[in-house]
Amino acid sequence: MKFNEEKLENAFIELLQQQGYPHFKGDSIQRDVDEVLIEEDLRNYLLSRYKEQNLTTTEAQSIILQLKTLPASDLYETNKTIMRRIADGFILKREDPNQKDIHIQLLDYSGLESQLVANDLDTVVAEEAIPLSEDQNIYRFVNQLEITGTQKRIPDGILYINGLPLVVFEFKSAIREEVTIHNAYEQLTVRYRRDIPELFKYNAFCIISDGV
């Protein structure tokens, strides 16, 4: 039985599910075909994460709108801006000026330390560790999502966190000698970037696998 690209894709889906990333088919995601954000996920994350600060639906929607309106025409600067907001967060000025501004983080990093494993390193603890709670992030691995820009493109897989399409996967099987890693690289960085630049506003990484 040949290990083709479909089997490679299914193998990655299974591996990601084992790591806690649930799988969704592209046609199950409710969105306009030219949209790359999963707005509902981002809105639900923000309203849940900042419930104690009484974040309003209007304020959550304003954050989403700010991300969407950053121009894909200047892809380098927009990607840099979004990556900075993801890494460092930003200050949200409240719609009610009597309320204190909120430092917004688009990802919940609270459970990160518990997922970092360094078995080969010594650990020195200065004080008793504070137990970390599970993060509030919403994870999805979505495959075969149709996105329409200047052309319709269907990335093999996208890893979403809180509705943000942070990682794009392009799978190439090693059994197809006529298809190389360079072909996959060009597909992502030339054709996809040209035809669906909106997707690449949010990407920190593009991952390509040849099954080896």
Side-chain angles (χ1 to χ4, degrees):
M1 183 179 296
K2 292 184 178 181
F3 194 68
N4 57 25
E5 289 177 13
E6 181 181 2
K7 290 183 173 61
L8 177 60
E9 184 176 311
N10 289 334
F12 266 81
I13 289 171
E14 184 176 345
L15 287 170
L16 287 167
Q17 285 179 319
Q18 291 172 6
Q19 297 299 316
Y21 299 98
H23 167 236
F24 297 84
K25 291 284 291 182
D27 57 10
S28 71
I29 305 298
Q30 298 299 312
R31 44 175 272 286
D32 293 333
V33 292
D34 60 342
E35 294 286 349
V36 299
L37 289 177
I38 303 178
E39 291 190 30
E40 184 179 7
D41 281 1
L42 183 52
R43 184 166 46 251
N44 288 342
Y45 160 77
L46 291 168
L47 292 174
S48 174
R49 176 80 188 275
Y50 298 101
K51 183 178 180 180
E52 292 184 2
Q53 289 83 1
N54 298 312
L55 184 77
T56 68
T57 301
T58 302
E59 288 172 329
Q61 194 61 39
S62 74
I63 293 170
I64 295 171
L65 185 61
Q66 287 178 32
L67 293 173
K68 291 176 63 176
T69 53
L70 286 168
S73 57
D74 192 353
L75 198 53
Y76 175 77
E77 287 299 326
T78 290
N79 181 263
K80 188 167 68 172
T81 297
I82 291 176
M83 289 301 105
R84 186 168 59 246
R85 292 184 187 181
I86 289 173
D88 301 331
F90 55 92
I91 301 300
L92 174 70
K93 298 291 185 180
R94 307 303 301 273
E95 58 181 344
D96 180 354
N98 295 317
Q99 290 190 307
K100 186 178 179 180
D101 296 340
I102 308 175
H103 178 230
I104 297 290
Q105 289 185 307
L106 295 173
L107 302 184
D108 180 6
Y109 296 104
S110 61
L112 184 61
E113 290 182 19
S114 64
Q115 299 182 40
L116 297 179
V117 179
N119 294 326
D120 56 339
L121 298 178
D122 293 334
T123 301
V124 178
V125 180
E127 59 184 36
E128 186 176 351
I130 300 173
L132 295 169
S133 59
E134 291 187 7
D135 65 58
Q136 299 181 53
N137 294 321
I138 302 170
Y139 298 96
R140 294 178 188 260
F141 179 72
V142 181
N143 72 318
Q144 303 301 319
L145 182 72
E146 291 190 7
I147 302 171
T148 299
T150 57
Q151 298 284 337
K152 182 174 75 174
R153 296 295 182 186
I154 308 175
D156 288 340
I158 304 173
L159 178 60
Y160 278 90
I161 306 179
N162 302 332
L164 302 169
L166 296 183
V167 185
V168 176
F169 291 77
E170 185 61 35
F171 301 116
K172 296 300 179 189
S173 174
I175 66 171
R176 294 180 59 192
E177 295 182 0
E178 77 281 6
V179 178
T180 66
I181 287 294
H182 184 69
N183 295 139
Y185 172 80
E186 285 189 328
Q187 184 170 337
L188 285 169
T189 62
V190 179
R191 293 192 293 276
Y192 282 11
R193 183 177 176 180
R194 176 193 64 210
D195 297 337
I196 49 172
E198 194 71 21
L199 176 64
F200 291 90
K201 286 168 45 173
Y202 306 93
N203 290 162
F205 303 101
C206 295
I207 296 179
I208 305 166
S209 174
D210 64 354
V212 177

